[in-house]
mmCIF file with all atom_site columns, all heavy atoms in Angstrom:
data_model
loop_
_atom_site.group_PDB
_atom_site.id
_atom_site.type_symbol
_atom_site.label_atom_id
_atom_site.label_alt_id
_atom_site.label_comp_id
_atom_site.label_asym_id
_atom_site.label_entity_id
_atom_site.label_seq_id
_atom_site.pdbx_PDB_ins_code
_atom_site.Cartn_x
_atom_site.Cartn_y
_atom_site.Cartn_z
_atom_site.occupancy
_atom_site.B_iso_or_equiv
_atom_site.pdbx_formal_charge
_atom_site.auth_seq_id
_atom_site.auth_comp_id
_atom_site.auth_asym_id
_atom_site.auth_atom_id
_atom_site.pdbx_PDB_model_num
ATOM 1   N N   . ASN I 1 1  ? 109.409 113.342 97.362  1.00 66.00 ? 1  ASN I N   1
ATOM 2   C CA  . ASN I 1 1  ? 108.678 113.372 96.091  1.00 66.00 ? 1  ASN I CA  1
ATOM 3   C C   . ASN I 1 1  ? 109.419 112.622 94.982  1.00 66.00 ? 1  ASN I C   1
ATOM 4   O O   . ASN I 1 1  ? 109.313 112.966 93.814  1.00 66.00 ? 1  ASN I O   1
ATOM 5   C CB  . ASN I 1 1  ? 108.437 114.819 95.646  1.00 66.00 ? 1  ASN I CB  1
ATOM 6   C CG  . ASN I 1 1  ? 107.520 115.574 96.599  1.00 66.00 ? 1  ASN I CG  1
ATOM 7   O OD1 . ASN I 1 1  ? 106.421 115.108 96.880  1.00 66.00 ? 1  ASN I OD1 1
ATOM 8   N ND2 . ASN I 1 1  ? 107.975 116.704 97.099  1.00 66.00 ? 1  ASN I ND2 1
ATOM 9   N N   . MET I 1 2  ? 110.164 111.618 95.356  1.00 68.00 ? 2  MET I N   1
ATOM 10  C CA  . MET I 1 2  ? 110.998 110.915 94.400  1.00 68.00 ? 2  MET I CA  1
ATOM 11  C C   . MET I 1 2  ? 110.367 109.583 93.998  1.00 68.00 ? 2  MET I C   1
ATOM 12  O O   . MET I 1 2  ? 109.426 109.095 94.615  1.00 68.00 ? 2  MET I O   1
ATOM 13  C CB  . MET I 1 2  ? 112.390 110.671 94.996  1.00 68.00 ? 2  MET I CB  1
ATOM 14  C CG  . MET I 1 2  ? 113.093 111.941 95.471  1.00 68.00 ? 2  MET I CG  1
ATOM 15  S SD  . MET I 1 2  ? 113.460 113.102 94.140  1.00 68.00 ? 2  MET I SD  1
ATOM 16  C CE  . MET I 1 2  ? 114.790 112.206 93.346  1.00 68.00 ? 2  MET I CE  1
ATOM 17  N N   . ARG I 1 3  ? 110.942 108.973 92.963  1.00 69.00 ? 3  ARG I N   1
ATOM 18  C CA  . ARG I 1 3  ? 110.475 107.692 92.460  1.00 69.00 ? 3  ARG I CA  1
ATOM 19  C C   . ARG I 1 3  ? 110.607 106.591 93.514  1.00 69.00 ? 3  ARG I C   1
ATOM 20  O O   . ARG I 1 3  ? 109.862 105.614 93.503  1.00 69.00 ? 3  ARG I O   1
ATOM 21  C CB  . ARG I 1 3  ? 111.288 107.321 91.214  1.00 69.00 ? 3  ARG I CB  1
ATOM 22  C CG  . ARG I 1 3  ? 110.957 105.961 90.627  1.00 69.00 ? 3  ARG I CG  1
ATOM 23  C CD  . ARG I 1 3  ? 111.804 105.708 89.383  1.00 69.00 ? 3  ARG I CD  1
ATOM 24  N NE  . ARG I 1 3  ? 111.552 104.392 88.825  1.00 69.00 ? 3  ARG I NE  1
ATOM 25  C CZ  . ARG I 1 3  ? 112.229 103.292 89.166  1.00 69.00 ? 3  ARG I CZ  1
ATOM 26  N NH1 . ARG I 1 3  ? 113.199 103.383 90.049  1.00 69.00 ? 3  ARG I NH1 1
ATOM 27  N NH2 . ARG I 1 3  ? 111.953 102.134 88.616  1.00 69.00 ? 3  ARG I NH2 1
ATOM 28  N N   . CYS I 1 4  ? 111.541 106.766 94.446  1.00 74.00 ? 4  CYS I N   1
ATOM 29  C CA  . CYS I 1 4  ? 111.780 105.715 95.430  1.00 74.00 ? 4  CYS I CA  1
ATOM 30  C C   . CYS I 1 4  ? 110.681 105.630 96.477  1.00 74.00 ? 4  CYS I C   1
ATOM 31  O O   . CYS I 1 4  ? 110.654 104.678 97.263  1.00 74.00 ? 4  CYS I O   1
ATOM 32  C CB  . CYS I 1 4  ? 113.124 105.935 96.105  1.00 74.00 ? 4  CYS I CB  1
ATOM 33  S SG  . CYS I 1 4  ? 113.282 107.539 96.906  1.00 74.00 ? 4  CYS I SG  1
ATOM 34  N N   . GLN I 1 5  ? 109.790 106.602 96.525  1.00 70.00 ? 5  GLN I N   1
ATOM 35  C CA  . GLN I 1 5  ? 108.756 106.606 97.554  1.00 70.00 ? 5  GLN I CA  1
ATOM 36  C C   . GLN I 1 5  ? 107.572 105.721 97.151  1.00 70.00 ? 5  GLN I C   1
ATOM 37  O O   . GLN I 1 5  ? 106.917 105.964 96.149  1.00 70.00 ? 5  GLN I O   1
ATOM 38  C CB  . GLN I 1 5  ? 108.267 108.030 97.803  1.00 70.00 ? 5  GLN I CB  1
ATOM 39  C CG  . GLN I 1 5  ? 109.283 108.912 98.518  1.00 70.00 ? 5  GLN I CG  1
ATOM 40  C CD  . GLN I 1 5  ? 109.598 108.374 99.899  1.00 70.00 ? 5  GLN I CD  1
ATOM 41  O OE1 . GLN I 1 5  ? 108.716 108.106 100.695 1.00 70.00 ? 5  GLN I OE1 1
ATOM 42  N NE2 . GLN I 1 5  ? 110.875 108.213 100.185 1.00 70.00 ? 5  GLN I NE2 1
ATOM 43  N N   . VAL I 1 6  ? 107.335 104.700 97.925  1.00 70.00 ? 6  VAL I N   1
ATOM 44  C CA  . VAL I 1 6  ? 106.182 103.832 97.719  1.00 70.00 ? 6  VAL I CA  1
ATOM 45  C C   . VAL I 1 6  ? 105.428 103.763 99.039  1.00 70.00 ? 6  VAL I C   1
ATOM 46  O O   . VAL I 1 6  ? 105.933 103.233 100.024 1.00 70.00 ? 6  VAL I O   1
ATOM 47  C CB  . VAL I 1 6  ? 106.586 102.418 97.274  1.00 70.00 ? 6  VAL I CB  1
ATOM 48  C CG1 . VAL I 1 6  ? 105.349 101.541 97.145  1.00 70.00 ? 6  VAL I CG1 1
ATOM 49  C CG2 . VAL I 1 6  ? 107.339 102.474 95.955  1.00 70.00 ? 6  VAL I CG2 1
ATOM 50  N N   . ALA I 1 7  ? 104.253 104.339 99.063  1.00 73.00 ? 7  ALA I N   1
ATOM 51  C CA  . ALA I 1 7  ? 103.411 104.262 100.255 1.00 73.00 ? 7  ALA I CA  1
ATOM 52  C C   . ALA I 1 7  ? 102.635 102.944 100.187 1.00 73.00 ? 7  ALA I C   1
ATOM 53  O O   . ALA I 1 7  ? 103.128 101.945 99.701  1.00 73.00 ? 7  ALA I O   1
ATOM 54  C CB  . ALA I 1 7  ? 102.486 105.470 100.321 1.00 73.00 ? 7  ALA I CB  1
ATOM 55  N N   . GLU I 1 8  ? 101.438 102.936 100.634 1.00 82.00 ? 8  GLU I N   1
ATOM 56  C CA  . GLU I 1 8  ? 100.632 101.724 100.533 1.00 82.00 ? 8  GLU I CA  1
ATOM 57  C C   . GLU I 1 8  ? 100.211 101.492 99.089  1.00 82.00 ? 8  GLU I C   1
ATOM 58  O O   . GLU I 1 8  ? 99.899  102.430 98.367  1.00 82.00 ? 8  GLU I O   1
ATOM 59  C CB  . GLU I 1 8  ? 99.410  101.822 101.437 1.00 82.00 ? 8  GLU I CB  1
ATOM 60  C CG  . GLU I 1 8  ? 99.748  101.808 102.923 1.00 82.00 ? 8  GLU I CG  1
ATOM 61  C CD  . GLU I 1 8  ? 98.518  101.677 103.776 1.00 82.00 ? 8  GLU I CD  1
ATOM 62  O OE1 . GLU I 1 8  ? 97.419  101.924 103.261 1.00 82.00 ? 8  GLU I OE1 1
ATOM 63  O OE2 . GLU I 1 8  ? 98.657  101.317 104.960 1.00 82.00 ? 8  GLU I OE2 1
ATOM 64  N N   . ALA I 1 9  ? 100.236 100.250 98.676  1.00 89.00 ? 9  ALA I N   1
ATOM 65  C CA  . ALA I 1 9  ? 99.905  99.869  97.310  1.00 89.00 ? 9  ALA I CA  1
ATOM 66  C C   . ALA I 1 9  ? 99.042  98.616  97.354  1.00 89.00 ? 9  ALA I C   1
ATOM 67  O O   . ALA I 1 9  ? 98.958  97.942  98.387  1.00 89.00 ? 9  ALA I O   1
ATOM 68  C CB  . ALA I 1 9  ? 101.187 99.622  96.510  1.00 89.00 ? 9  ALA I CB  1
ATOM 69  N N   . PRO I 1 10 ? 98.374  98.287  96.241  1.00 92.00 ? 10 PRO I N   1
ATOM 70  C CA  . PRO I 1 10 ? 97.578  97.054  96.238  1.00 92.00 ? 10 PRO I CA  1
ATOM 71  C C   . PRO I 1 10 ? 98.444  95.837  96.554  1.00 92.00 ? 10 PRO I C   1
ATOM 72  O O   . PRO I 1 10 ? 99.512  95.658  95.964  1.00 92.00 ? 10 PRO I O   1
ATOM 73  C CB  . PRO I 1 10 ? 97.037  96.990  94.803  1.00 92.00 ? 10 PRO I CB  1
ATOM 74  C CG  . PRO I 1 10 ? 97.095  98.393  94.300  1.00 92.00 ? 10 PRO I CG  1
ATOM 75  C CD  . PRO I 1 10 ? 98.284  99.019  94.952  1.00 92.00 ? 10 PRO I CD  1
ATOM 76  N N   . LEU I 1 11 ? 98.004  95.023  97.485  1.00 96.00 ? 11 LEU I N   1
ATOM 77  C CA  . LEU I 1 11 ? 98.752  93.826  97.818  1.00 96.00 ? 11 LEU I CA  1
ATOM 78  C C   . LEU I 1 11 ? 98.669  92.810  96.683  1.00 96.00 ? 11 LEU I C   1
ATOM 79  O O   . LEU I 1 11 ? 97.652  92.740  95.977  1.00 96.00 ? 11 LEU I O   1
ATOM 80  C CB  . LEU I 1 11 ? 98.202  93.194  99.099  1.00 96.00 ? 11 LEU I CB  1
ATOM 81  C CG  . LEU I 1 11 ? 98.380  93.978  100.400 1.00 96.00 ? 11 LEU I CG  1
ATOM 82  C CD1 . LEU I 1 11 ? 97.718  93.224  101.546 1.00 96.00 ? 11 LEU I CD1 1
ATOM 83  C CD2 . LEU I 1 11 ? 99.857  94.213  100.704 1.00 96.00 ? 11 LEU I CD2 1
ATOM 84  N N   . PRO I 1 12 ? 99.711  92.020  96.468  1.00 96.00 ? 12 PRO I N   1
ATOM 85  C CA  . PRO I 1 12 ? 99.615  90.918  95.508  1.00 96.00 ? 12 PRO I CA  1
ATOM 86  C C   . PRO I 1 12 ? 98.515  89.944  95.907  1.00 96.00 ? 12 PRO I C   1
ATOM 87  O O   . PRO I 1 12 ? 97.957  90.025  97.012  1.00 96.00 ? 12 PRO I O   1
ATOM 88  C CB  . PRO I 1 12 ? 101.003 90.270  95.590  1.00 96.00 ? 12 PRO I CB  1
ATOM 89  C CG  . PRO I 1 12 ? 101.906 91.332  96.125  1.00 96.00 ? 12 PRO I CG  1
ATOM 90  C CD  . PRO I 1 12 ? 101.044 92.144  97.062  1.00 96.00 ? 12 PRO I CD  1
ATOM 91  N N   . ALA I 1 13 ? 98.207  89.025  95.023  1.00 96.00 ? 13 ALA I N   1
ATOM 92  C CA  . ALA I 1 13 ? 97.126  88.062  95.288  1.00 96.00 ? 13 ALA I CA  1
ATOM 93  C C   . ALA I 1 13 ? 97.379  87.289  96.577  1.00 96.00 ? 13 ALA I C   1
ATOM 94  O O   . ALA I 1 13 ? 96.457  87.013  97.342  1.00 96.00 ? 13 ALA I O   1
ATOM 95  C CB  . ALA I 1 13 ? 96.978  87.106  94.111  1.00 96.00 ? 13 ALA I CB  1
ATOM 96  N N   . ARG I 1 14 ? 98.635  86.949  96.833  1.00 97.00 ? 14 ARG I N   1
ATOM 97  C CA  . ARG I 1 14 ? 99.005  86.279  98.087  1.00 97.00 ? 14 ARG I CA  1
ATOM 98  C C   . ARG I 1 14 ? 100.262 86.929  98.641  1.00 97.00 ? 14 ARG I C   1
ATOM 99  O O   . ARG I 1 14 ? 101.166 87.301  97.893  1.00 97.00 ? 14 ARG I O   1
ATOM 100 C CB  . ARG I 1 14 ? 99.274  84.780  97.870  1.00 97.00 ? 14 ARG I CB  1
ATOM 101 C CG  . ARG I 1 14 ? 98.087  83.988  97.373  1.00 97.00 ? 14 ARG I CG  1
ATOM 102 C CD  . ARG I 1 14 ? 98.416  82.489  97.348  1.00 97.00 ? 14 ARG I CD  1
ATOM 103 N NE  . ARG I 1 14 ? 97.411  81.757  96.580  1.00 97.00 ? 14 ARG I NE  1
ATOM 104 C CZ  . ARG I 1 14 ? 97.516  81.505  95.281  1.00 97.00 ? 14 ARG I CZ  1
ATOM 105 N NH1 . ARG I 1 14 ? 98.597  81.893  94.626  1.00 97.00 ? 14 ARG I NH1 1
ATOM 106 N NH2 . ARG I 1 14 ? 96.569  80.867  94.645  1.00 97.00 ? 14 ARG I NH2 1
ATOM 107 N N   . VAL I 1 15 ? 100.319 87.043  99.935  1.00 97.00 ? 15 VAL I N   1
ATOM 108 C CA  . VAL I 1 15 ? 101.502 87.525  100.634 1.00 97.00 ? 15 VAL I CA  1
ATOM 109 C C   . VAL I 1 15 ? 101.660 86.708  101.904 1.00 97.00 ? 15 VAL I C   1
ATOM 110 O O   . VAL I 1 15 ? 100.726 86.025  102.342 1.00 97.00 ? 15 VAL I O   1
ATOM 111 C CB  . VAL I 1 15 ? 101.403 89.034  100.990 1.00 97.00 ? 15 VAL I CB  1
ATOM 112 C CG1 . VAL I 1 15 ? 101.552 89.901  99.758  1.00 97.00 ? 15 VAL I CG1 1
ATOM 113 C CG2 . VAL I 1 15 ? 100.092 89.331  101.720 1.00 97.00 ? 15 VAL I CG2 1
ATOM 114 N N   . LEU I 1 16 ? 102.824 86.785  102.494 1.00 97.00 ? 16 LEU I N   1
ATOM 115 C CA  . LEU I 1 16 ? 103.050 86.164  103.792 1.00 97.00 ? 16 LEU I CA  1
ATOM 116 C C   . LEU I 1 16 ? 102.736 87.181  104.872 1.00 97.00 ? 16 LEU I C   1
ATOM 117 O O   . LEU I 1 16 ? 103.304 88.275  104.889 1.00 97.00 ? 16 LEU I O   1
ATOM 118 C CB  . LEU I 1 16 ? 104.496 85.694  103.918 1.00 97.00 ? 16 LEU I CB  1
ATOM 119 C CG  . LEU I 1 16 ? 104.942 84.623  102.925 1.00 97.00 ? 16 LEU I CG  1
ATOM 120 C CD1 . LEU I 1 16 ? 106.445 84.387  103.053 1.00 97.00 ? 16 LEU I CD1 1
ATOM 121 C CD2 . LEU I 1 16 ? 104.173 83.328  103.142 1.00 97.00 ? 16 LEU I CD2 1
ATOM 122 N N   . ASP I 1 17 ? 101.831 86.837  105.747 1.00 96.00 ? 17 ASP I N   1
ATOM 123 C CA  . ASP I 1 17 ? 101.501 87.682  106.886 1.00 96.00 ? 17 ASP I CA  1
ATOM 124 C C   . ASP I 1 17 ? 102.532 87.387  107.964 1.00 96.00 ? 17 ASP I C   1
ATOM 125 O O   . ASP I 1 17 ? 102.535 86.317  108.569 1.00 96.00 ? 17 ASP I O   1
ATOM 126 C CB  . ASP I 1 17 ? 100.091 87.365  107.377 1.00 96.00 ? 17 ASP I CB  1
ATOM 127 C CG  . ASP I 1 17 ? 99.661  88.233  108.549 1.00 96.00 ? 17 ASP I CG  1
ATOM 128 O OD1 . ASP I 1 17 ? 100.520 88.937  109.113 1.00 96.00 ? 17 ASP I OD1 1
ATOM 129 O OD2 . ASP I 1 17 ? 98.475  88.206  108.906 1.00 96.00 ? 17 ASP I OD2 1
ATOM 130 N N   . ILE I 1 18 ? 103.440 88.330  108.197 1.00 95.00 ? 18 ILE I N   1
ATOM 131 C CA  . ILE I 1 18 ? 104.537 88.088  109.123 1.00 95.00 ? 18 ILE I CA  1
ATOM 132 C C   . ILE I 1 18 ? 104.372 88.855  110.428 1.00 95.00 ? 18 ILE I C   1
ATOM 133 O O   . ILE I 1 18 ? 105.225 88.773  111.313 1.00 95.00 ? 18 ILE I O   1
ATOM 134 C CB  . ILE I 1 18 ? 105.892 88.446  108.488 1.00 95.00 ? 18 ILE I CB  1
ATOM 135 C CG1 . ILE I 1 18 ? 105.951 89.939  108.146 1.00 95.00 ? 18 ILE I CG1 1
ATOM 136 C CG2 . ILE I 1 18 ? 106.138 87.602  107.253 1.00 95.00 ? 18 ILE I CG2 1
ATOM 137 C CD1 . ILE I 1 18 ? 107.309 90.394  107.633 1.00 95.00 ? 18 ILE I CD1 1
ATOM 138 N N   . LYS I 1 19 ? 103.286 89.609  110.573 1.00 89.00 ? 19 LYS I N   1
ATOM 139 C CA  . LYS I 1 19 ? 103.107 90.423  111.768 1.00 89.00 ? 19 LYS I CA  1
ATOM 140 C C   . LYS I 1 19 ? 102.043 89.871  112.711 1.00 89.00 ? 19 LYS I C   1
ATOM 141 O O   . LYS I 1 19 ? 102.251 89.801  113.908 1.00 89.00 ? 19 LYS I O   1
ATOM 142 C CB  . LYS I 1 19 ? 102.752 91.870  111.379 1.00 89.00 ? 19 LYS I CB  1
ATOM 143 C CG  . LYS I 1 19 ? 103.948 92.714  111.019 1.00 89.00 ? 19 LYS I CG  1
ATOM 144 C CD  . LYS I 1 19 ? 104.825 92.961  112.243 1.00 89.00 ? 19 LYS I CD  1
ATOM 145 C CE  . LYS I 1 19 ? 105.944 93.938  111.926 1.00 89.00 ? 19 LYS I CE  1
ATOM 146 N NZ  . LYS I 1 19 ? 106.831 94.170  113.090 1.00 89.00 ? 19 LYS I NZ  1
ATOM 147 N N   . SER I 1 20 ? 100.894 89.498  112.158 1.00 76.00 ? 20 SER I N   1
ATOM 148 C CA  . SER I 1 20 ? 99.801  89.075  113.029 1.00 76.00 ? 20 SER I CA  1
ATOM 149 C C   . SER I 1 20 ? 100.012 87.670  113.569 1.00 76.00 ? 20 SER I C   1
ATOM 150 O O   . SER I 1 20 ? 99.438  87.298  114.581 1.00 76.00 ? 20 SER I O   1
ATOM 151 C CB  . SER I 1 20 ? 98.468  89.147  112.275 1.00 76.00 ? 20 SER I CB  1
ATOM 152 O OG  . SER I 1 20 ? 98.471  88.284  111.155 1.00 76.00 ? 20 SER I OG  1
ATOM 153 N N   . ALA I 1 21 ? 100.836 86.879  112.875 1.00 64.00 ? 21 ALA I N   1
ATOM 154 C CA  . ALA I 1 21 ? 101.134 85.534  113.358 1.00 64.00 ? 21 ALA I CA  1
ATOM 155 C C   . ALA I 1 21 ? 102.129 85.611  114.517 1.00 64.00 ? 21 ALA I C   1
ATOM 156 O O   . ALA I 1 21 ? 102.678 86.664  114.821 1.00 64.00 ? 21 ALA I O   1
ATOM 157 C CB  . ALA I 1 21 ? 101.702 84.681  112.217 1.00 64.00 ? 21 ALA I CB  1
ATOM 158 N N   . SER I 1 22 ? 102.357 84.474  115.169 1.00 69.00 ? 22 SER I N   1
ATOM 159 C CA  . SER I 1 22 ? 103.296 84.441  116.285 1.00 69.00 ? 22 SER I CA  1
ATOM 160 C C   . SER I 1 22 ? 104.719 84.631  115.778 1.00 69.00 ? 22 SER I C   1
ATOM 161 O O   . SER I 1 22 ? 104.989 84.429  114.589 1.00 69.00 ? 22 SER I O   1
ATOM 162 C CB  . SER I 1 22 ? 103.186 83.096  117.014 1.00 69.00 ? 22 SER I CB  1
ATOM 163 O OG  . SER I 1 22 ? 103.661 82.050  116.177 1.00 69.00 ? 22 SER I OG  1
ATOM 164 N N   . PRO I 1 23 ? 105.665 85.013  116.661 1.00 71.00 ? 23 PRO I N   1
ATOM 165 C CA  . PRO I 1 23 ? 107.058 85.176  116.221 1.00 71.00 ? 23 PRO I CA  1
ATOM 166 C C   . PRO I 1 23 ? 107.638 83.911  115.599 1.00 71.00 ? 23 PRO I C   1
ATOM 167 O O   . PRO I 1 23 ? 108.542 83.984  114.773 1.00 71.00 ? 23 PRO I O   1
ATOM 168 C CB  . PRO I 1 23 ? 107.793 85.549  117.519 1.00 71.00 ? 23 PRO I CB  1
ATOM 169 C CG  . PRO I 1 23 ? 106.743 86.152  118.394 1.00 71.00 ? 23 PRO I CG  1
ATOM 170 C CD  . PRO I 1 23 ? 105.479 85.406  118.061 1.00 71.00 ? 23 PRO I CD  1
ATOM 171 N N   . GLU I 1 24 ? 107.124 82.746  116.000 1.00 75.00 ? 24 GLU I N   1
ATOM 172 C CA  . GLU I 1 24 ? 107.638 81.489  115.468 1.00 75.00 ? 24 GLU I CA  1
ATOM 173 C C   . GLU I 1 24 ? 106.944 81.076  114.186 1.00 75.00 ? 24 GLU I C   1
ATOM 174 O O   . GLU I 1 24 ? 107.354 80.116  113.542 1.00 75.00 ? 24 GLU I O   1
ATOM 175 C CB  . GLU I 1 24 ? 107.471 80.364  116.499 1.00 75.00 ? 24 GLU I CB  1
ATOM 176 C CG  . GLU I 1 24 ? 108.276 80.541  117.773 1.00 75.00 ? 24 GLU I CG  1
ATOM 177 C CD  . GLU I 1 24 ? 107.644 81.540  118.727 1.00 75.00 ? 24 GLU I CD  1
ATOM 178 O OE1 . GLU I 1 24 ? 106.430 81.772  118.610 1.00 75.00 ? 24 GLU I OE1 1
ATOM 179 O OE2 . GLU I 1 24 ? 108.380 82.091  119.566 1.00 75.00 ? 24 GLU I OE2 1
ATOM 180 N N   . GLY I 1 25 ? 105.879 81.777  113.807 1.00 84.00 ? 25 GLY I N   1
ATOM 181 C CA  . GLY I 1 25 ? 105.124 81.339  112.653 1.00 84.00 ? 25 GLY I CA  1
ATOM 182 C C   . GLY I 1 25 ? 104.652 82.477  111.780 1.00 84.00 ? 25 GLY I C   1
ATOM 183 O O   . GLY I 1 25 ? 104.640 83.641  112.184 1.00 84.00 ? 25 GLY I O   1
ATOM 184 N N   . ILE I 1 26 ? 104.299 82.144  110.568 1.00 93.00 ? 26 ILE I N   1
ATOM 185 C CA  . ILE I 1 26 ? 103.729 83.084  109.606 1.00 93.00 ? 26 ILE I CA  1
ATOM 186 C C   . ILE I 1 26 ? 102.553 82.378  108.947 1.00 93.00 ? 26 ILE I C   1
ATOM 187 O O   . ILE I 1 26 ? 102.287 81.204  109.213 1.00 93.00 ? 26 ILE I O   1
ATOM 188 C CB  . ILE I 1 26 ? 104.755 83.503  108.531 1.00 93.00 ? 26 ILE I CB  1
ATOM 189 C CG1 . ILE I 1 26 ? 105.260 82.261  107.767 1.00 93.00 ? 26 ILE I CG1 1
ATOM 190 C CG2 . ILE I 1 26 ? 105.914 84.262  109.159 1.00 93.00 ? 26 ILE I CG2 1
ATOM 191 C CD1 . ILE I 1 26 ? 106.169 82.585  106.610 1.00 93.00 ? 26 ILE I CD1 1
#
């Protein structure tokens, strides 16, 4: 229950998708 806890939040306008892409790419 502390300030350090951040669950899911609104994503910024752009982010790097690092999971769905291949290990060699984003």
Side-chain angles (χ1 to χ4, degrees):
N1 295 306
M2 304 296 288
R3 177 179 178 270
C4 57
Q5 289 298 308
V6 177
E8 292 189 343
L11 293 177
R14 298 187 194 92
V15 287
L16 298 173
D17 181 349
I18 63 175
K19 278 292 186 181
S20 61
S22 68
E24 296 78 22
I26 59 175

